Amino acid sequence: MAHALAKIFGTEEDKVNCPFYLKMGACRHGERCSRIHNRPVLSQTLLLQNMYQPLPEQFDAAGNPMPRSDEEVQEHFEDFYEDIFEELTTTGGELEQLRVCENKSDHLAGNVYAKFREEDDAARALKKLVGRFYDGRPVLAQFSPVTDFKDARCRQYEEAKCTRGGYCNFMHLKKVSPQLQRHLLRLI
């Protein structure tokens, strides 16, 4: 019996545990989900909920929205990314991956996932973040079950073919420029 249960754990056949939560660290149904969201008590990965905020819209004198340039949007994102990267690497642990969602749906919008080499590193970072604020908003940090972003990311988005747009239920991960990647590697 236990072998059969282990075989279906975290799959669509599992009628008890939410497979979407296990894969994404977030579920579109939230607390209304009919399945259990087993929040880990320790993990290599932290989820900083809704932390990244895109640039607010600008309006002209007539109240019409004015588009922002791609460069301005990317610069805003990379400033944020560098801030978070520096904050998380000062805990002394090795940060393996830092991912930021640009989805618009509530359960993924602005989520930041920080995967550390060791669970103890993530625990130290979480302890450091509790009660903190960023850009005037509280940092909502918790351990996440996500350890492999391969299954969580939207491959169609990466190929510029996602028809769901920002409301897709899989991660639309923002990309960091190669210049910033090189700069951050020098800081480590």
Side-chain angles (χ1 to χ4, degrees):
M1 179 70 159
H3 179 67
L5 291 176
K7 189 175 176 181
I8 65 167
F9 179 79
T11 68
E12 288 299 323
E13 294 177 43
D14 186 346
K15 300 300 179 198
V16 177
N17 301 291
C18 179
F20 199 79
Y21 176 78
L22 292 171
K23 185 186 310 186
M24 306 292 295
C27 173
R28 67 180 175 257
H29 301 295
E31 298 303 319
R32 297 183 322 265
C33 186
S34 62
R35 299 181 187 181
I36 296 172
H37 295 168
N38 289 311
R39 301 192 195 292
V41 294
L42 191 62
S43 173
Q44 291 174 268
T45 307
L46 295 181
L47 165 60
L48 311 177
Q49 287 182 298
N50 308 114
M51 189 166 181
Y52 173 69
Q53 297 292 306
L55 279 170
E57 284 192 71
Q58 287 182 319
F59 299 93
D60 62 17
N64 300 315
M66 295 171 35
R68 300 217 185 233
S69 72
D70 291 343
E71 293 80 16
E72 187 178 13
V73 171
Q74 188 67 19
E75 182 179 340
H76 170 75
F77 166 67
E78 291 193 356
D79 288 345
F80 166 82
Y81 190 94
E82 188 172 8
D83 280 351
I84 300 307
F85 183 89
E86 289 176 359
E87 186 67 27
L88 292 173
T89 55
T90 60
T91 60
E94 186 177 337
L95 183 62
E96 287 186 343
Q97 296 182 53
L98 183 61
R99 304 285 191 220
V100 179
C101 293
E102 64 178 328
N103 301 63
K104 294 179 181 175
S105 52
D106 291 341
H107 67 291
L108 290 175
N111 283 359
V112 175
Y113 294 84
K115 182 180 177 192
F116 291 85
R117 182 174 192 85
E118 302 291 334
E119 291 173 340
D120 291 343
D121 298 336
R124 276 194 301 278
L126 179 64
K127 187 175 180 180
K128 183 179 176 182
L129 293 169
V130 171
R132 300 275 305 274
F133 286 77
Y134 182 83
D135 200 22
R137 298 174 50 243
V139 175
L140 304 174
Q142 63 187 22
F143 289 118
S144 173
V146 178
T147 55
D148 184 0
F149 295 95
K150 180 179 67 175
D151 292 333
R153 72 186 203 284
C154 177
R155 286 178 257 329
Q156 292 173 336
Y157 172 75
E158 292 174 356
E159 297 168 359
K161 296 177 183 177
C162 183
T163 58
R164 296 181 197 102
Y167 294 98
C168 180
N169 286 314
F170 289 91
M171 293 179 188
H172 286 192
L173 299 173
K174 289 191 70 64
K175 295 196 180 350
V176 179
S177 69
Q179 297 88 345
L180 181 59
Q181 287 177 342
R182 285 191 298 273
H183 170 71
L184 294 176
L185 286 174
R186 284 189 296 249
L187 295 177
I188 298 177

